[in-house]
Amino acid sequence: MKLSIISVNFKVEKEILNLLASIKKNFAGNSYEVIIVEHGPTADLKGKLKKYPFVKYVKEPGNLGFGGGNNFG
C-alpha cells in the first residue's frame, strides 16, 4: 500500500523543504509519495524538489483555496 501526502504550498518554501526532509528521514523503508500543490508564486521550489524523487509537483491553474488545492492534488 502506498501513502499519499498532499501539501498545498503558498509562499512557504522553507517549510515545504523541512517537511520533505522530515518525511524522507522518518518514512524510510515505507511506500509513499508526496504531492506538492503550488498555490502561488515561488522563487525556485520546483528546481529544489528534484532531489526528492518521491515528490510530484503540480501547479494549480489559479488559486483554488486550501480545500480546492487539496482536491486538485
Side-chain angles (χ1 to χ4, degrees), residues 42-65:
T42 304
D44 185 33
L45 180 61
K46 187 175 181 180
K48 293 176 182 176
L49 296 177
K50 291 180 182 177
K51 70 178 192 175
Y52 298 102
F54 55 88
V55 171
K56 294 181 181 177
Y57 175 89
V58 294
K59 175 84 172 135
E60 283 183 321
N63 189 331
L64 304 175

Side-chain angles (χ1 to χ4, degrees), residues 3 5 17-34 52 54:
L3 171 67
I5 301 166
L17 295 174
N18 288 338
L19 169 72
L20 296 175
S22 178
I23 290 171
K24 183 178 180 178
K25 176 182 174 185
N26 293 298
F27 281 79
N30 294 295
S31 178
Y32 64 93
E33 68 179 352
V34 178
Y52 298 102
F54 55 88

